[in-house]
C-alpha cells in the first residue's frame, strides 16, 4: 500500500486491448493527467467541473484512485489509457463507482487529439472485461450530461439503454444509462 500511496502503483497492465494498455494510475503519468484536465478542447463543455483543476487537486485525485485500487475491496477502479505503439498517454477510463460482484459506473476522458479513433470502444470493452474477471461485476452503468450528444450516441451504439434523467449535485440535467439503463449486462 505504501507503494500505491507514493504513486508507485504496479506498472503491470490491468487489462489490454488491441491498441492500448490500461494501467493503474501511476505517478509518472500524473503530469499528463493534469495537462489533460487543463486542456480546454478535451474537457469543455461536458467535463467543466474538472477543467482547470489545480496540480494539487489533480495529484490528490490520482492519489485517491491509487489508494482505492490498492484496497482489498476498491470503491473505484480508474485506469490510465496508454497507446501500445507510442507510449502516449491517451486518457483515463474505468469505474468511478464500483460495487464488486455487482456493477460499475463506467466513464472515460479521452484527450481531444485521440477522439473519433475508437478509443472509447476499446476502453469500454477492456473495462467491462476487467469488471467481470477481476471484480465479478455483472452490469455496467453510465451517467452523462443530457447535453453530451457524442457520449450519448456512443453509449446507445454500444448497447446501453436509457434509464432516466436526474439532476446532479451541480444542478445539471444528466442522463442515467445502463449497458442494459444506460445499463450493459455482462
Amino acid at each position: 500500500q505504501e507503494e500505491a500511496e507514493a504513486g508507485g502503483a504496479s506498472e503491470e497492465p490491468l487489462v489490454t486491448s488491441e491498441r492500448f494498455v490500461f494501467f493503474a494510475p501511476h505517478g509518472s503519468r500524473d503530469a499528463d493527467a493534469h495537462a489533460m484536465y487543463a486542456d480546454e478542447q478535451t474537457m469543455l463543455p461536458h467535463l467543466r467541473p474538472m477543467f482547470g483543476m489545480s496540480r494539487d487537486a489533480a495529484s490528490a485525485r490520482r492519489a485517491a484512485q491509487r489508494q482505492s485500487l490498492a484496497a482489498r475491496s476498491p470503491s473505484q477502479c480508474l485506469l490510465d489509457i496508454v497507446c501500445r505503439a507510442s507510449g502516449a498517454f491517451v486518457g483515463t477510463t474505468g469505474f468511478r463507482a464500483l460495487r464488486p460482484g455487482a456493477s460499475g459506473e463506467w466513464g472515460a476522458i479521452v484527450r481531444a487529439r485521440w477522439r473519433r479513433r475508437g478509443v472509447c470502444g476499446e476502453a469500454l470493452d477492456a473495462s467491462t472485461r476487467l469488471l467481470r474477471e477481476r471484480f465479478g461485476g455483472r452490469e455496467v452503468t453510465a451517467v452523462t450530461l443530457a447535453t453530451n450528444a457524442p457520449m450519448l450516441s456512443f453509449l446507445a451504439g454500444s448497447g446501453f439503454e436509457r434509464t432516466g434523467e436526474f439532476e446532479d449535485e451541480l444542478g445539471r440535467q444528466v442522463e442515467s444509462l445502463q449497458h442494459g439503463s444506460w445499463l450493459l449486462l455482462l
Side-chain angles (χ1 to χ4, degrees):
Q1 186 168 355
E2 287 175 27
E3 185 178 320
E5 289 171 7
S10 170
E11 273 298 287
E12 288 295 314
L14 293 175
V15 65
T16 62
S17 70
E18 183 179 331
R19 296 178 300 150
F20 305 104
V21 183
F22 301 84
F23 292 103
H26 193 273
S28 66
R29 288 183 295 278
D30 284 357
D32 290 320
H34 179 261
M36 179 178 69
Y37 298 144
D39 179 34
E40 189 172 326
Q41 287 185 313
T42 297
M43 302 302 288
L44 298 180
H46 307 298
L47 298 168
R48 186 171 300 282
M50 293 189 310
F51 173 65
M53 186 182 301
S54 73
R55 187 171 302 281
D56 288 346
S59 293
R61 175 183 175 85
R62 294 194 34 101
Q65 293 168 358
R66 288 189 280 274
Q67 198 166 29
S68 179
L69 264 177
R72 178 165 294 173
S73 183
S75 60
Q76 58 181 315
C77 177
L78 293 157
L79 309 169
D80 290 344
I81 307 169
V82 176
C83 177
R84 282 181 187 266
S86 67
F89 177 82
V90 175
T92 61
T93 191
F95 301 100
R96 171 178 96 98
L98 180 65
R99 292 183 21 235
S103 67
E105 183 184 307
W106 180 81
I109 302 173
V110 176
R111 292 180 115 172
R113 65 179 163 267
W114 286 91
R115 289 193 182 147
R116 304 199 190 300
R117 293 176 161 188
V119 175
C120 274
E122 285 188 54
L124 176 62
D125 290 346
S127 296
T128 55
R129 200 168 63 248
L130 182 68
L131 178 69
R132 186 177 53 250
E133 294 170 3
R134 182 169 177 175
F135 301 109
R138 297 181 309 276
E139 65 184 35
V140 177
T141 62
V143 173
T144 193
L145 293 175
T147 58
N148 191 347
M151 183 55 84
L152 289 169
S153 176
F154 169 77
L155 293 169
S158 297
F160 282 80
E161 298 173 7
R162 184 177 181 273
T163 57
E165 280 188 14
F166 63 93
E167 204 168 276
D168 72 2
E169 63 278 3
L170 299 176
R172 302 171 303 177
Q173 280 301 118
V174 296
E175 299 228 2
S176 174
L177 306 109
Q178 293 183 338
H179 196 236
S181 145
W182 297 102
L183 172 67
L184 175 61
L185 300 175
L186 303 177

